[in-house]
Amino acid sequence: FGAMLKFAGFDGIAIEGQAAGPVWLDVQNERVRLRDAREIWGRDTRETQRWIWHEVRRELHPTLRRELRADEEQAVPAVVAIGPLTTHRPRSG
């Protein structure tokens, strides 16, 4: 996250105060926005990451009408998320 933040033009970010509801921090190329997170509130970290990837990439490619997948060759935004962990099956063997 630190390297990606630096590439966006920041050495660090300090957040003060409290939002009225759930928000996510969108940092893109020297632009910082707090955005509404009600739609992703309560999702696990993997679902949150995929939702943010889709949202950011949709904005970057507004003419793209098909569903974007995180494993495509297009640039994937870096996401740091907190919340419920994704449940994984234990490895066998």
Side-chain angles (χ1 to χ4, degrees):
F1 175 74
M4 297 306 287
L5 188 63
K6 186 69 171 176
F7 289 138
F10 296 93
D11 293 327
I13 295 176
I15 300 172
E16 296 180 5
Q18 180 176 339
V23 294
W24 63 282
L25 182 66
D26 183 3
V27 180
Q28 294 182 41
N29 301 327
E30 299 181 3
R31 181 187 71 193
V32 178
R33 297 183 290 170
L34 286 175
R35 300 180 57 179
D36 187 347
R38 286 178 288 187
E39 190 169 339
I40 54 177
W41 190 253
R43 295 181 189 220
D44 68 34
T45 54
R46 184 167 296 193
E47 291 170 334
T48 297
Q49 183 176 46
R50 287 182 179 148
W51 187 91
I52 291 173
W53 283 347
H54 183 274
E55 183 68 15
V56 170
R57 290 164 61 189
R58 182 186 60 77
E59 289 177 0
L60 294 175
H61 306 282
T63 60
L64 191 58
R65 297 290 180 227
R66 63 185 172 83
E67 185 74 16
L68 293 170
R69 292 172 36 129
D71 59 353
E72 291 177 345
E73 294 181 15
Q74 300 175 29
V76 176
V79 175
V80 176
I82 60 170
L85 296 175
T86 304
T87 305
H88 295 285
R89 286 196 218 159
R91 293 183 188 182
S92 59

